[in-house]
Amino acid sequence: MSKGKLIRWGICGVGKISQDFCANLVNLPNEEHQVVAVAGRSLERAKEFAGRFSITKAYGSYEQLAQDNDVGIVYVGTIHPTHFDCCMKMFEHNKHILCEKPMTMNANQTRKLIETARSKKLFLMEAMWTRFFPAVLKLQELIADGTIGEVKLVKADFCMQPPERVDRLYDPALGGGATLDVGIYPIAMASLIFGGGRPESIKATGYLTDTGVDELASIIIKYPGNRVANLCCSLNLNMPKQAQICGSKGIVTLTEPFWCTTQLQTPSGNLDFPLPKPDLEMIFANGRGMTYEAEAVRRCLVEGKTECEAMPLDESLIIAETMDSILKQLGVKY
């Protein structure tokens, strides 16, 4: 997998999210991270991606990437309906995996991936990059030291309205719908703040598109200790994408976009956490923050860990179960 502290990456998928992640990897020290291979659904697209990031090997199939003995860990950045099969293929060849969110389409698939990773003693993590942002780490400190008292409510919204209809978001075959695509961010934020525990109750309402996926979901989750999350996600509303952490002594607001925020509004004033300047242009807002996630994965591998404490596999499973419940209540069937 590595020589000394060098981590050798393979990139599975050549879409926008993979481009941003790879742009961060190639900006990290070469003695710590190297991207040695990339695979796409076509060799032409893989070669184009490889040329952009000076990657030596390009493959036209994910199986070829899995068979590459130079690759130690694979970043799975394909669309989420393909995550399960891609990950299982990589596990067959004993690759460690960082898999984009949502890890799979449902809790059963997520459970199988976790069981496989643990049985083979391989690293697996859902790529919840939010967990590694300095602003979010500071938020956890503020909660732990009692700055805002006992946290009782989390409010978080990820409601977007693209200027043009994005067909993938409305196609059930491509894992479309608000909850899986963007709702996972508010759900995961509530889970983080409330310690990754299992909810006591989940109530969801909303409405579906003409294709049968959820266009809007309003969600209330109750956690043990009378703690509540009030969440919303949608594909047709343009609302402030903020999160508020409400405690008995005050409120901390994660400014927009909350899942990759660089500013906290606290009772004592604003706290800013600027990102490193990008050497390459990023596609997604604050995409430079993916570097924190990559560095965390490397630390885990160097230390011989198969799970990351910041994004435990058991919590990924609970989040998947939560989304299953929401989608069932909304009437979404994939």
mmCIF file of all heavy atoms in Angstrom, residues 88 90-96 114-123 306:
data_model
loop_
_atom_site.group_PDB
_atom_site.id
_atom_site.type_symbol
_atom_site.label_atom_id
_atom_site.label_comp_id
_atom_site.label_asym_id
_atom_site.label_seq_id
_atom_site.Cartn_x
_atom_site.Cartn_y
_atom_site.Cartn_z
ATOM 1 N N MET A 88 -17.113 -3.078 -3.433
ATOM 2 C CA MET A 88 -16.938 -4.522 -3.302
ATOM 3 C C MET A 88 -15.859 -5.021 -4.256
ATOM 4 O O MET A 88 -15.066 -5.910 -3.902
ATOM 5 C CB MET A 88 -18.259 -5.234 -3.567
ATOM 6 C CG MET A 88 -19.309 -5.013 -2.478
ATOM 7 S SD MET A 88 -18.798 -5.598 -0.831
ATOM 8 C CE MET A 88 -18.907 -7.376 -1.055
ATOM 9 N N MET A 90 -13.255 -3.320 -5.236
ATOM 10 C CA MET A 90 -11.964 -2.912 -4.671
ATOM 11 C C MET A 90 -11.595 -3.795 -3.478
ATOM 12 O O MET A 90 -10.432 -4.168 -3.300
ATOM 13 C CB MET A 90 -12.009 -1.443 -4.258
ATOM 14 C CG MET A 90 -12.282 -0.480 -5.402
ATOM 15 S SD MET A 90 -11.137 -0.655 -6.792
ATOM 16 C CE MET A 90 -12.118 0.070 -8.121
ATOM 17 N N PHE A 91 -12.582 -4.151 -2.665
ATOM 18 C CA PHE A 91 -12.316 -5.028 -1.522
ATOM 19 C C PHE A 91 -11.827 -6.400 -1.971
ATOM 20 O O PHE A 91 -11.014 -7.034 -1.299
ATOM 21 C CB PHE A 91 -13.573 -5.187 -0.668
ATOM 22 C CG PHE A 91 -13.835 -4.033 0.268
ATOM 23 C CD1 PHE A 91 -15.140 -3.704 0.626
ATOM 24 C CD2 PHE A 91 -12.802 -3.283 0.800
ATOM 25 C CE1 PHE A 91 -15.401 -2.656 1.489
ATOM 26 C CE2 PHE A 91 -13.047 -2.233 1.668
ATOM 27 C CZ PHE A 91 -14.354 -1.915 2.008
ATOM 28 N N GLU A 92 -12.333 -6.883 -3.109
ATOM 29 C CA GLU A 92 -11.898 -8.185 -3.621
ATOM 30 C C GLU A 92 -10.393 -8.218 -3.856
ATOM 31 O O GLU A 92 -9.765 -9.268 -3.774
ATOM 32 C CB GLU A 92 -12.630 -8.509 -4.930
ATOM 33 C CG GLU A 92 -14.106 -8.841 -4.758
ATOM 34 C CD GLU A 92 -14.799 -9.005 -6.093
ATOM 35 O OE1 GLU A 92 -14.103 -9.011 -7.146
ATOM 36 O OE2 GLU A 92 -16.043 -9.117 -6.102
ATOM 37 N N HIS A 93 -9.832 -7.031 -4.120
ATOM 38 C CA HIS A 93 -8.390 -6.938 -4.379
ATOM 39 C C HIS A 93 -7.665 -6.230 -3.235
ATOM 40 O O HIS A 93 -6.573 -5.686 -3.422
ATOM 41 C CB HIS A 93 -8.161 -6.228 -5.708
ATOM 42 C CG HIS A 93 -8.688 -6.991 -6.890
ATOM 43 N ND1 HIS A 93 -7.960 -7.973 -7.535
ATOM 44 C CD2 HIS A 93 -9.906 -6.954 -7.508
ATOM 45 C CE1 HIS A 93 -8.684 -8.481 -8.522
ATOM 46 N NE2 HIS A 93 -9.872 -7.881 -8.529
ATOM 47 N N ASN A 94 -8.300 -6.243 -2.066
ATOM 48 C CA ASN A 94 -7.663 -5.780 -0.824
ATOM 49 C C ASN A 94 -7.227 -4.317 -0.853
ATOM 50 O O ASN A 94 -6.165 -3.955 -0.329
ATOM 51 C CB ASN A 94 -6.470 -6.677 -0.479
ATOM 52 C CG ASN A 94 -6.896 -8.102 -0.199
ATOM 53 O OD1 ASN A 94 -7.848 -8.352 0.544
ATOM 54 N ND2 ASN A 94 -6.202 -9.056 -0.809
ATOM 55 N N LYS A 95 -8.091 -3.479 -1.438
ATOM 56 C CA LYS A 95 -7.819 -2.051 -1.426
ATOM 57 C C LYS A 95 -8.532 -1.388 -0.252
ATOM 58 O O LYS A 95 -9.668 -1.733 0.079
ATOM 59 C CB LYS A 95 -8.325 -1.392 -2.718
ATOM 60 C CG LYS A 95 -7.843 -2.025 -4.006
ATOM 61 C CD LYS A 95 -6.343 -1.999 -4.143
ATOM 62 C CE LYS A 95 -5.945 -2.506 -5.525
ATOM 63 N NZ LYS A 95 -4.495 -2.795 -5.616
ATOM 64 N N HIS A 96 -7.867 -0.433 0.364
ATOM 65 C CA HIS A 96 -8.536 0.454 1.307
ATOM 66 C C HIS A 96 -9.423 1.409 0.509
ATOM 67 O O HIS A 96 -9.171 1.661 -0.678
ATOM 68 C CB HIS A 96 -7.519 1.240 2.129
ATOM 69 C CG HIS A 96 -6.580 0.389 2.908
ATOM 70 N ND1 HIS A 96 -6.975 -0.384 3.973
ATOM 71 C CD2 HIS A 96 -5.231 0.180 2.781
ATOM 72 C CE1 HIS A 96 -5.933 -1.024 4.469
ATOM 73 N NE2 HIS A 96 -4.874 -0.707 3.769
ATOM 74 N N ILE A 114 -19.469 -2.467 5.383
ATOM 75 C CA ILE A 114 -18.797 -2.400 6.683
ATOM 76 C C ILE A 114 -18.366 -3.786 7.132
ATOM 77 O O ILE A 114 -17.228 -3.974 7.604
ATOM 78 C CB ILE A 114 -19.730 -1.745 7.724
ATOM 79 C CG1 ILE A 114 -19.941 -0.270 7.380
ATOM 80 C CG2 ILE A 114 -19.159 -1.884 9.131
ATOM 81 C CD1 ILE A 114 -20.994 0.422 8.218
ATOM 82 N N GLU A 115 -19.235 -4.758 6.996
ATOM 83 C CA GLU A 115 -18.900 -6.134 7.386
ATOM 84 C C GLU A 115 -17.724 -6.657 6.574
ATOM 85 O O GLU A 115 -16.828 -7.326 7.115
ATOM 86 C CB GLU A 115 -20.120 -7.037 7.204
ATOM 87 C CG GLU A 115 -21.235 -6.770 8.209
ATOM 88 C CD GLU A 115 -22.508 -7.542 7.891
ATOM 89 O OE1 GLU A 115 -22.582 -8.139 6.788
ATOM 90 O OE2 GLU A 115 -23.433 -7.538 8.727
ATOM 91 N N THR A 116 -17.712 -6.346 5.283
ATOM 92 C CA THR A 116 -16.616 -6.810 4.432
ATOM 93 C C THR A 116 -15.307 -6.147 4.819
ATOM 94 O O THR A 116 -14.266 -6.809 4.933
ATOM 95 C CB THR A 116 -16.932 -6.515 2.956
ATOM 96 O OG1 THR A 116 -18.158 -7.159 2.595
ATOM 97 C CG2 THR A 116 -15.822 -7.029 2.053
ATOM 98 N N ALA A 117 -15.342 -4.830 5.026
ATOM 99 C CA ALA A 117 -14.123 -4.115 5.408
ATOM 100 C C ALA A 117 -13.563 -4.652 6.712
ATOM 101 O O ALA A 117 -12.346 -4.879 6.844
ATOM 102 C CB ALA A 117 -14.419 -2.619 5.537
ATOM 103 N N ARG A 118 -14.431 -4.880 7.678
ATOM 104 C CA ARG A 118 -13.967 -5.367 8.977
ATOM 105 C C ARG A 118 -13.448 -6.792 8.896
ATOM 106 O O ARG A 118 -12.444 -7.133 9.545
ATOM 107 C CB ARG A 118 -15.096 -5.246 10.002
ATOM 108 C CG ARG A 118 -15.345 -3.800 10.424
ATOM 109 C CD ARG A 118 -16.570 -3.648 11.305
ATOM 110 N NE ARG A 118 -16.661 -2.286 11.847
ATOM 111 C CZ ARG A 118 -17.711 -1.795 12.480
ATOM 112 N NH1 ARG A 118 -18.803 -2.550 12.652
ATOM 113 N NH2 ARG A 118 -17.709 -0.547 12.945
ATOM 114 N N SER A 119 -14.090 -7.623 8.097
ATOM 115 C CA SER A 119 -13.635 -9.016 7.983
ATOM 116 C C SER A 119 -12.279 -9.103 7.292
ATOM 117 O O SER A 119 -11.472 -9.973 7.608
ATOM 118 C CB SER A 119 -14.671 -9.852 7.235
ATOM 119 O OG SER A 119 -14.749 -9.470 5.874
ATOM 120 N N LYS A 120 -12.028 -8.183 6.377
ATOM 121 C CA LYS A 120 -10.760 -8.185 5.633
ATOM 122 C C LYS A 120 -9.722 -7.249 6.253
ATOM 123 O O LYS A 120 -8.609 -7.126 5.744
ATOM 124 C CB LYS A 120 -11.018 -7.788 4.179
ATOM 125 C CG LYS A 120 -11.891 -8.783 3.415
ATOM 126 C CD LYS A 120 -12.230 -8.297 2.020
ATOM 127 C CE LYS A 120 -11.044 -8.427 1.078
ATOM 128 N NZ LYS A 120 -10.729 -9.833 0.736
ATOM 129 N N LYS A 121 -10.120 -6.574 7.354
ATOM 130 C CA LYS A 121 -9.226 -5.643 8.048
ATOM 131 C C LYS A 121 -8.708 -4.556 7.103
ATOM 132 O O LYS A 121 -7.522 -4.222 7.089
ATOM 133 C CB LYS A 121 -8.076 -6.386 8.719
ATOM 134 C CG LYS A 121 -8.524 -7.317 9.834
ATOM 135 C CD LYS A 121 -7.355 -8.035 10.478
ATOM 136 C CE LYS A 121 -7.785 -8.808 11.718
ATOM 137 N NZ LYS A 121 -8.868 -9.786 11.448
ATOM 138 N N LEU A 122 -9.651 -3.997 6.322
ATOM 139 C CA LEU A 122 -9.324 -2.929 5.386
ATOM 140 C C LEU A 122 -9.962 -1.623 5.838
ATOM 141 O O LEU A 122 -11.029 -1.621 6.444
ATOM 142 C CB LEU A 122 -9.828 -3.287 3.989
ATOM 143 C CG LEU A 122 -9.119 -4.455 3.305
ATOM 144 C CD1 LEU A 122 -9.858 -4.871 2.043
ATOM 145 C CD2 LEU A 122 -7.666 -4.099 2.978
ATOM 146 N N PHE A 123 -9.311 -0.518 5.524
ATOM 147 C CA PHE A 123 -9.825 0.800 5.885
ATOM 148 C C PHE A 123 -11.020 1.138 4.999
ATOM 149 O O PHE A 123 -11.007 0.932 3.787
ATOM 150 C CB PHE A 123 -8.738 1.854 5.701
ATOM 151 C CG PHE A 123 -9.183 3.256 6.029
ATOM 152 C CD1 PHE A 123 -9.110 3.730 7.332
ATOM 153 C CD2 PHE A 123 -9.682 4.099 5.038
ATOM 154 C CE1 PHE A 123 -9.516 5.033 7.637
ATOM 155 C CE2 PHE A 123 -10.089 5.394 5.335
ATOM 156 C CZ PHE A 123 -10.013 5.849 6.639
ATOM 157 N N THR A 306 -8.189 1.035 10.689
ATOM 158 C CA THR A 306 -9.119 0.654 9.633
ATOM 159 C C THR A 306 -10.415 1.461 9.687
ATOM 160 O O THR A 306 -11.296 1.274 8.845
ATOM 161 C CB THR A 306 -9.443 -0.848 9.707
ATOM 162 O OG1 THR A 306 -9.947 -1.149 11.016
ATOM 163 C CG2 THR A 306 -8.203 -1.686 9.424
#
